[in-house]
Structures are given as C-alpha cells and as structure tokens.
Amino acid sequence: NAGVTQTPKFQVLKTGQSMTLQCAQDMNHEYMSWYRQDPGMGLRLIHYSVGAGITDQGEVPNGYNVSRSTTEDFPLRLLSAAPSQTSVYFCASSPIQGAGETQYFGPGTRLLVL
Amino acid sequence: GQQLNQSPQSMFIQEGEDVSMNCTSSSIFNTWLWYKQEPGEGPVLLIALYKAGELTSNGRLTAQFGITRKDSFLNISASIPSDVGIYFCAGQVFNDMRFGAGTRLTVKP
C-alpha cells in the first residue's frame, strides 16, 4: 500500500494563478481532509470529506475548493492564489471522522505564492 | 479557532538526555495524540491517549493525559540522534481536532 500520496511536492505560483493539489489514498478510507501548516502555528483544517460526494468546510476554507468524486481522491483547488496561501499543505485520511488515532498524513505539498 | 499551547518551541539537547514537552488548552479534550514530523514528511502518530490520567509508553516515549483533560505531556528518555524532528500534540473532542504548533527537537551526538 502507498498510503496517502500527494502531488506535487513543491510548487511556485504567481498571484492570481490557479492550481490543484492532488491527494490520493489506497486504504479505502471514508474520511479525508486537508490541512495547512504555517510557522508557529498548529495544523489548521481547510476542508474535509466524510465520503464520496460529501464535503464540508473546516477552520480556514476561504480561497480553497474541494470535491470528492471517488473514495480514493480528494483534490484541493486554489482558484486565484494569494501570497497568504504560501504554506505547506497536508492531506490526511482515516477510516471514519473523529478517529484521529487512525489518521494517516501524506508527505505534504510546499506551496510558494509570489 | 483555538490552537493548543505547546512548549517549549524548540529544544537542543545532548544525546542520552531526557526530554519533556507539554501541551495545554483552555478546553477539555476526549483524546490526546502525539505526532512526530521529520523533514519533508507528514506527521506520524506516536501515542494516543483516551482517558484522564492515562500514562502510555511506546518504547522510550511516555505520554500522559492530564487529570483536568486540558493538558498532556510527552517524555523521551535517553534521546538518540534519530529523535530529531518536530513533535506535535493534538487534542480531539468528537469531530473537532486541534493541533499544537510543535516542539522542534535537536539532538547533538
């Protein structure tokens, strides 16, 4: 099993550009989520999904869109990148929501917005 | 949203020394989790705690769930160079999970 995979590992964008961060898991987990990690702060939840076709906002959803068409994939879209979105993004999955002890994280995508 | 207060922010220790770090919150949690993150990787779960007062070990790591349910502690005994990384705490109540900012540990051989 590959676990949780994320692509790309690193990306540089100009302000206003759009991009999609990819996340995939092969553990048949229902719950998937996106976090951002900023210096001096804990991980903050952006969006999450409790199953295919179901998504909801987390703590910091502004500027990001998500969709979940399959159990395996949970892409995160930046429609118009801003410098404030410079961060490291982690995707995570777990069998169910609220089971943090069974949550697996991907390796992260480091995003720089100029 | 409230984040957890994790301290210290960083530690520089000599190989063989013991390490202690803690997380505090003004809110009560049902579960406390401790993660380790190495450069270029995502956090990996080290220990999960489910009950106030619980003391759980994983090798040289020992963590405790505070009696008040508002704090947790992680101890690493006899540190080794591969302990280097960032250690995160997380508190969870139902579907709400909050993270500390991390303790960056450097171990000098």
Side-chain angles (χ1 to χ4, degrees):
Chain A
N1 288 351
V4 180
T5 58
Q6 292 183 238
T7 56
K9 283 189 179 296
F10 181 73
Q11 183 73 46
V12 180
L13 291 179
K14 294 181 180 178
T15 296
Q17 286 185 316
S18 63
M19 81 160 294
T20 298
L21 281 64
Q22 301 292 343
C23 174
Q25 52 92 8
D26 60 1
M27 297 172 282
N28 202 33
H29 286 170
E30 290 297 324
Y31 182 76
M32 296 185 73
S33 55
W34 277 101
Y35 293 90
R36 59 178 289 170
Q37 182 179 47
D38 299 297
M41 301 187 72
L43 294 171
R44 291 182 292 168
L45 183 64
I46 304 171
H47 284 284
Y48 65 93
S49 169
V50 298
I54 306 170
T55 63
D56 207 345
Q57 297 181 349
E59 182 184 357
V60 288
N62 292 342
Y64 307 95
N65 281 348
V66 292
S67 61
R68 183 104 178 263
S69 57
T70 67
T71 298
E72 293 78 19
D73 301 298
F74 190 43
L76 178 72
R77 281 183 286 276
L78 285 70
L79 298 179
S80 179
S84 61
Q85 293 178 305
T86 293
S87 189
V88 182
Y89 292 86
F90 289 101
C91 178
S93 76
S94 64
I96 57 172
Q97 188 180 17
E101 67 274 20
T102 60
Q103 182 164 240
Y104 292 87
F105 287 87
T109 293
R110 186 175 297 273
L111 177 66
L112 174 62
V113 182
L114 302 174
Chain B
Q2 181 204 351
Q3 300 294 305
L4 304 180
N5 299 312
Q6 186 171 350
S7 64
Q9 286 186 321
S10 61
M11 302 183 74
F12 295 83
I13 62 169
Q14 204 73 36
E15 182 177 359
E17 290 183 354
D18 297 342
V19 172
S20 291
M21 59 192 78
N22 69 84
C23 267
T24 61
S25 171
S26 59
S27 300
I28 289 173
F29 292 103
N30 293 335
T31 303
W32 280 95
L33 306 166
W34 284 93
Y35 293 89
K36 180 185 179 185
Q37 182 180 12
E38 299 188 8
E41 301 293 332
V44 174
L45 182 69
L46 297 173
I47 292 178
L49 302 156
Y50 303 100
K51 187 177 175 181
E54 178 183 353
L55 190 70
T56 297
S57 294
N58 178 6
R60 292 178 296 105
L61 278 62
T62 301
Q64 184 164 23
F65 193 137
I67 291 293
T68 65
R69 295 169 63 193
K70 295 181 179 180
D71 57 7
S72 180
F73 304 85
L74 176 70
N75 295 317
I76 305 174
S77 63
S79 59
I80 59 178
S82 62
D83 289 334
V84 165
I86 302 176
Y87 292 80
F88 292 96
C89 62
Q92 183 168 353
V93 56
F94 300 112
N95 296 329
D96 187 22
M97 193 168 178
R98 304 287 171 169
F99 290 84
T103 295
R104 183 180 296 272
L105 179 64
T106 302
V107 181
K108 294 177 284 186

